[in-house]
Structure formats: C-alpha cells, structure tokens
Amino acid sequence: MGRLAGFSLGLVSALILAFLIAPMVIVVILSFSSARFLRFPPPGLSLQWYQEFFSSYAWTSAATMSVGVAVAVTLLSLALGIPGAIGLMRGSFPGRRLVAAMILSPIIVPGIIVAIGLYYTYADYRLIGNPIALVVGHTCLAVPFVVITVANALNGVDPRLEQAARNLGASPFAAFRQVTFPLIRPGVLAGGIFAFATSFDELLIALFVSGSDAVTLPRRMWDQIRYQLEPTIAAASSLLIVVTLGLMIVAELLRRRTERLRTQEQERT
Amino acid sequence: MRFNRTALLILPLIAFIALFYLTPVFSMLLRSLESGEGWSLSAFKAVLSDSAFWRVMQITMTISLITTALCLLLGYPLAYFIARTRTSVANILLLLVLMPFWTSILVRTYAWMVLLGRRGVINDTLVNIGLLERPMQLLNTRTAVYIAMVHVLLPFVVLPLYATLKSFDWRLVDAAKGLGAGPFATFRQVTLPLSMPGVAAGAVLVFTLSIGFYITPALVGGPRDMMIAQLIETQVRGFNWNIAAAMAVVVLAAVLMICALFVRIVPLNPLMRR
C-alpha cells in the first residue's frame, strides 16, 4: 500500500467509525444537560434527567421488569441451550441439520412475524400482560445465541478427553462436569450474556405481548419517543448504553480467555 | 445415520421451540388460509391484487437494496483497514464497531432522531454557524431512513468481512505486487475475489434484516417510507388478521429463499456443517 493510499484509507475509516460512535456519545452528553430541551452543546451540566428517571415509578418499574425478565430468560436459555448444543454437536440422529436450522431460525425470521405469532397464541391463553409471556418469547430469540456460543466452544474441545474420563470410571455427568464443562465455561458465560442482552433490548415482542402491566424499559422508551421527546429518554438511553457496554466488555474478556485457553491446549498437543 | 443417547439431550430444547415458537408462528401463518367460511386463498388474492401492498413491497426492497449497498461501501474500507492494522490497535477499533452492534436498535434510532430533528443537533449547528438560514427537513425523510438503517446494520457487514480479511493469506497480495500488478489491479483481481465469502455473508445478513425492519423506519421515516413490517403491523391493529398473515407468508418466503441461496454459497457455522 502506498503511503498516500494508506493515509486516505485511515482517514475514511476514522470517519466511518465516528459515524458509528458519535450519535451514541451525543445522546450520553445530552442526558447530562441542564436545559429543558435537547440542545447541543448543552448550556450546562446537571443530573436532573437521571433524577427524574429514578424518581419516576413508571421508569423504575420498567427497568426492574426488564432486569427480572432478562435474568429469567438467561437462566432458561442456558438450561435449554447447553444440553441442546451438546446434543447437536455430540449426538447423531436423522434430520440433525433440519433441527439445527429450526433452532437457529429465530435469528433470520423477521421479528414482526414472531411477535405477531406469539401475540395471537398468548391472546388465546390470556397471557398478554403477563411477564411469563415475555420470558417465553424472549427465550425463543435468545436460545439460538446460547446454542451457537456453546457449540463453538464444544467444537474446540476434544471429545476424547471426556471418553478418557469415562474409561477411568467417571459417570457421564461427572465426566461432563469435571472435564468438558470447565473447558466450555467461557462459551457458556458468553452465551448467557448474549441471552441477557437480547432480552434486555428486545422491543417487538414487548410491543405486542406486554399489555399495560409487563412494561419493559425499551417498551416504555418506545411509548415516550412516539408521544413526546423529553430528555428523560436520553437518560434512559444512556443507562441502556452503559449496561450494554458493561456486558460487552465482559463478553470480550471471556472471548480472549477462550482464545488463550485454546492456544494453550494447542501448544500442549 | 446412527442414533446415540447423547442426542436425547436436545429434546427439551426441541420441545420448547416447537411449543412456544414454531406452533405460534405456524398457526399465525395458517390464518392466511382462513376466510369467513372454511379454507381459501382469498387473503392471498386480496394481498397480491392490492396496489398498496406492492407499493410498500417495492419501497421495502428499494430501501433494503440501497441500505445493503451503502453498508458494503462503508463497511469494506473499514474492515480492510482494521484487518491490516497492528493487533493492539485493531482490537480497540473492533470494540468501537462492537459497541453500536450491541447497543439496542431503539437507542440508536432515538439518537438519530435527536441528531436529525428540526431543532436537532445537526440543524442547530448548521444554523448557528450560518450555513443554513432555517432548519431543514431531515427527520421523517427517506434520507433519515438510510442514515439510521446503515448505522444499525453496518456492523453486520464489518464483522464477517473483517473475519474473512483477517484470515486470508496476505502473501498472495505481495505475490501479485511482485508480479507487477498495481494496487488497484491487485485489489480487483486478488483481494476482492478472495473476500467474497465475507461480502456475501454481510450482504445477506443486512438485506434479510432490512426486509423485516420495523422500529427504525417507523420512527425516522416519513409516511411515504412505510416498509412491509409496518404494513403488517397496521393490518394486525386493524384486526385484518388473515391479510396480515398472508403478507407475513410472502415476506417470510422471500427471506427464507435468500437464506437458502446463501447457505449453498457459504457455510454458516459448525452447527450446519458435518
């Protein structure tokens, strides 16, 4: 690459990165504004919008609902997804690819179609407005990510290690718990974080099934954005960005650890 | 293929997905065949002969195609740059791409509403520095839809492209140069063809996701930029459930066809191999 070409590529890349990051940075800055309206740059700094957020029952209960639903979704997705990934990767049965495609399909099927399907079914079961409807719906969307991350982790583990443990007299469960699980743990944790983030951010299903009782943070933000653009939404958005950033950093650290574990293992063999 | 006992571990997951995902979605799609009296194709006939449906489909396809093209145009140089940068710097740049990727679509769309509004950040700044006399209409336009959708979907191009470019053999580029190819010829004849799996993966992801987009066009688009997901939602709210279902069948068929074509070209991940 010539020096000029390299420089212009760097400049273009910097501009594209700025395009990706700047809107979010501006929202975070505006959330600390002392003005009554969103103006940039803000005339002064204040925590008024955060104060308003935390003193509003509607906002705090929506945040609590989101956290509660996301925790339940994470646990349920792991409980279903870990054995599911093991069955897919280590088991053999006819129609395996079809089953894999079926489990991964929520990633591809447009969200609006899933949301309407769940809405009709839950309306029949009178589950609209029940947090259970959200937990079940979000789990359908979150479980593919758990299956993918755990399957990728299993892909890097030699099945002979577990067989060796079995030959030495370990029960299947003990062999899994003491040999395979420690090796796939970073993948499991990453899958759990993905599941949590998926549920915490989800809006379309929430729009249809949360009714007026099970209102999540994105759902309340949506309602507020549609009817008034008050700066409390900037504070809510900033809190979502911070939660996301935290989850992302943990996931990234886990990914690096997996890579380290894998290179160590490769060096040994 | 032989059956082994480990396969049984997948049963709870299959049961859950079948009961709470496949059944609801299929029974919703089946409503497209319902009419007042028994089964019929009348909903499909109504949808396919409705000019409003075709107009919205055309808008959806146009927006999806242009969004995909813009994402490739912006995503390629960025992915290329990150793939060619020292690892320590590249890791930081990747985090900058991952951060919006992880942030909720709603939050990012809201950010663009704040930026593009009549009294928004961009208009305010342009008026203050004297480049504009009056604020211009940015929000609720097709341009706003493109900006916000590209912002949401760009990481879906950058990440697979980066993975492809990172893993390929850069000695081929040196060889091409050694044989006398200029930078442009090298790119066109060596780098670009070899990175096509990444380009295809990114393009299919962005295109299929665009077709089903609801939140972003609903918030930043104008009334004339309605996309198919919004039209389906309107039908549901108007209790035209069989019409909504017929539209959903058409959209789903389009998306699945694109994905089926794609899986033939690029293997997705270890779950679909073997």
Side-chain angles (χ1 to χ4, degrees), chain A residues 49-69 200 213-218 220-221 224 232 235-236 239:
Chain A
W49 303 115
Y50 289 92
Q51 232 158 22
E52 191 151 310
F53 181 94
F54 285 108
S55 59
S56 146
Y57 174 74
W59 279 114
T60 50
S61 66
T64 318
M65 176 64 70
S66 276
V67 172
V69 168
F200 201 69
D213 297 328
V215 174
T216 60
L217 201 49
R220 172 147 176 87
M221 280 181 65
Q224 294 294 303
T232 322
L239 291 172

Side-chain angles (χ1 to χ4, degrees), chain B residues 81 134 148 185 213 227 255 265:
Chain B
F81 183 74
R134 267 175 289 130
F213 248 45
M227 288 179 73
V255 169
I265 307 169

Side-chain angles (χ1 to χ4, degrees), chain A residues 1 6 9-10 12-14 16-17 19-24 26-27 30 38-40 76 80-81 83-94 96-97 99-114 116-122 124 135-136 139-141 143 147-148 151-152 155 172 193-194 197 201 203-204 207-208 217-219 221-222 225-226 229-231 233-234 237 240-241 244-245 247-248 251-252 255-256, chain B residues 1-7 9-10 12-14 16-18 20-25 27-29 31 73-75 77-78 80-82 84 91-93 95-108 110-115 119 121 124-125 128 139 147 150-151 154-155 158 177 205 208-209 211-212 214-215 218-219 229 232-233 236-237 239-242 244-245 248-249 251-252 255-256 259 263 268-274:
Chain A
M1 217 180 333
L9 181 64
V12 167
S13 304
I16 300 169
L17 278 174
F19 164 73
L20 278 176
I21 296 296
M24 282 148 35
I26 287 172
V27 166
L30 283 175
L38 294 171
R39 233 190 281 135
F40 193 85
L76 188 56
L80 293 165
I86 297 170
L88 269 180
M89 295 300 287
R90 297 278 194 256
S92 58
F93 53 94
R96 179 182 163 279
R97 273 170 57 118
V99 168
M102 187 182 96
I103 293 166
L104 299 186
S105 73
I107 296 177
I108 295 162
V109 174
I112 189 85
I113 296 181
V114 181
I116 296 171
L118 297 183
Y119 168 66
Y120 289 160
T121 309
Y122 295 162
D124 287 347
V135 171
V136 173
T139 301
C140 296
L141 302 186
V143 114
V147 173
I148 288 175
N152 276 331
N155 204 27
I193 291 170
F194 257 116
D201 280 350
L203 173 62
L204 276 171
L207 269 182
F208 281 91
L217 201 49
R219 167 67 196 276
M221 280 181 65
W222 168 268
I225 289 173
R226 291 225 112 174
L229 267 176
E230 41 146 307
I233 306 164
S237 296
L240 273 176
I241 292 173
T244 309
L245 197 65
L247 290 174
M248 188 190 101
E252 176 64 19
R255 192 187 62 77
R256 287 192 189 167
Chain B
M1 192 183 277
R2 270 201 16 246
F3 177 87
N4 67 12
R5 270 186 17 211
T6 317
L9 283 171
I10 203 177
L13 179 59
I14 293 182
F16 185 89
I17 293 276
F20 295 113
Y21 170 75
L22 287 180
T23 312
V25 169
S27 66
M28 189 272 283
L29 296 175
R31 279 173 204 256
L73 210 64
L74 295 178
L78 183 56
Y80 188 95
F81 183 74
I82 300 177
R84 294 298 267 160
N91 277 336
I92 296 169
L93 299 182
L95 280 182
L96 291 181
V97 177
L98 278 169
M99 201 193 134
F101 176 75
W102 276 72
T103 305
S104 124
I105 293 176
L106 180 63
V107 168
R108 290 195 275 160
Y110 166 72
W112 282 107
M113 293 175 78
V114 169
L115 275 127
R119 300 285 336 259
V121 173
D124 258 11
T125 313
N128 281 342
L139 197 61
I147 294 176
V150 169
H151 186 257
L154 190 54
V158 175
K177 283 189 181 146
L205 263 176
T208 47
L209 288 171
I211 292 176
Y214 174 78
I215 298 166
L219 288 179
I232 295 176
E233 193 255 8
V236 173
R237 303 271 183 218
F239 295 103
N240 300 320
W241 288 8
N242 57 346
V249 169
V251 173
L252 191 60
V255 169
L256 290 181
C259 288
V263 176
L268 272 175
N269 68 52
L271 289 173
M272 297 305 289
R273 269 190 252 123
R274 222 170 68 169

Side-chain angles (χ1 to χ4, degrees), chain B:
Chain B
M1 192 183 277
R2 270 201 16 246
F3 177 87
N4 67 12
R5 270 186 17 211
T6 317
L8 293 176
L9 283 171
I10 203 177
L11 283 179
L13 179 59
I14 293 182
F16 185 89
I17 293 276
L19 199 61
F20 295 113
Y21 170 75
L22 287 180
T23 312
V25 169
F26 271 115
S27 66
M28 189 272 283
L29 296 175
L30 265 183
R31 279 173 204 256
S32 63
L33 297 171
E34 265 169 31
S35 68
E37 56 285 340
W39 304 98
S40 88
L41 289 171
S42 60
F44 284 99
K45 276 191 198 130
V47 166
L48 296 176
S49 62
D50 180 6
S51 63
F53 169 76
W54 287 112
R55 202 174 56 244
V56 172
M57 267 312 246
Q58 197 197 336
I59 295 169
T60 307
M61 289 299 160
T62 312
I63 291 181
S64 303
L65 275 175
I66 294 185
T67 302
T68 309
L70 289 171
C71 283
L72 287 175
L73 210 64
L74 295 178
Y76 204 103
L78 183 56
Y80 188 95
F81 183 74
I82 300 177
R84 294 298 267 160
T85 311
R86 267 184 296 127
T87 317
S88 54
V89 181
N91 277 336
I92 296 169
L93 299 182
L94 270 182
L95 280 182
L96 291 181
V97 177
L98 278 169
M99 201 193 134
F101 176 75
W102 276 72
T103 305
S104 124
I105 293 176
L106 180 63
V107 168
R108 290 195 275 160
T109 307
Y110 166 72
W112 282 107
M113 293 175 78
V114 169
L115 275 127
L116 298 170
R118 188 156 278 278
R119 300 285 336 259
V121 173
I122 291 174
N123 266 324
D124 258 11
T125 313
L126 291 177
V127 170
N128 281 342
I129 59 174
L131 273 173
L132 275 184
E133 263 179 38
R134 267 175 289 130
M136 53 180 170
Q137 174 81 36
L138 291 169
L139 197 61
N140 307 118
T141 63
R142 185 67 72 84
T143 315
V145 176
Y146 288 134
I147 294 176
M149 280 186 64
V150 169
H151 186 257
V152 169
L153 293 168
L154 190 54
F156 287 96
V157 167
V158 175
L159 298 173
L161 251 178
Y162 164 79
T164 311
L165 288 169
K166 188 75 196 166
S167 65
F168 95 49
D169 190 348
W170 287 91
R171 285 173 304 181
L172 292 169
V173 171
D174 295 335
K177 283 189 181 146
L179 293 168
F184 182 69
T186 311
F187 178 76
R188 206 173 57 83
Q189 294 180 0
V190 180
T191 319
L192 189 61
L194 283 174
S195 60
M196 275 328 263
V199 172
V204 168
L205 263 176
V206 170
F207 190 67
T208 47
L209 288 171
S210 296
I211 292 176
F213 248 45
Y214 174 78
I215 298 166
T216 308
L219 288 179
V220 304
R224 285 185 304 166
D225 306 310
M226 187 189 262
M227 288 179 73
I228 190 67
Q230 289 165 273
L231 186 61
I232 295 176
E233 193 255 8
T234 319
Q235 299 298 328
V236 173
R237 303 271 183 218
F239 295 103
N240 300 320
W241 288 8
N242 57 346
I243 299 286
M247 289 178 178
V249 169
V250 176
V251 173
L252 191 60
V255 169
L256 290 181
M257 245 151 49
I258 297 163
C259 288
L261 271 177
F262 170 71
V263 176
R264 290 196 172 273
I265 307 169
V266 192
L268 272 175
N269 68 52
L271 289 173
M272 297 305 289
R273 269 190 252 123
R274 222 170 68 169

